[in-house]
Amino acid sequence: MIEFDFEKLLGSSAPDPGCDDSGELMDEYCELVLRGDAVPDRYTAFLTHMTNCAACREDMESLLAVLRQGEKTGRG
Ligand SMILES: [Zn+2]
């Protein structure tokens, strides 16, 4: 299971960039998570949107699942 630090973000006043901008960052963010890299500050707004938008959160979880499958097969 991958855990997200959503709770850390609660109470922050980061702007919500909306679905379109978040979609652009989603691939990058998922790759960071899968590599176990630190998540740069510039993803704060993206993560804020993830806390606010269930649809995007589901998209992200689906994308993570797909990417993890890809890793298992050694693709790339
Ligand atoms: Zn959204």
Side-chain angles (χ1 to χ4, degrees), residues 4-66:
F4 300 100
D5 291 337
F6 289 140
E7 289 185 6
K8 285 185 186 172
L9 296 166
L10 296 177
S12 82
S13 58
D16 187 327
C19 291
D20 286 347
D21 285 353
S22 295
E24 290 181 11
L25 283 173
M26 195 176 287
D27 283 359
E28 296 175 35
Y29 178 77
C30 287
E31 287 176 10
L32 282 174
V33 169
L34 288 170
R35 284 202 302 263
D37 287 358
V39 178
D41 286 347
R42 69 190 183 91
Y43 289 93
T44 300
F46 166 79
L47 289 170
T48 297
H49 185 69
M50 290 301 110
T51 65
N52 292 340
C53 183
C56 284
R57 208 157 58 231
E58 287 179 11
D59 281 355
M60 181 173 67
E61 286 170 1
S62 297
L63 180 57
L64 281 170
V66 169

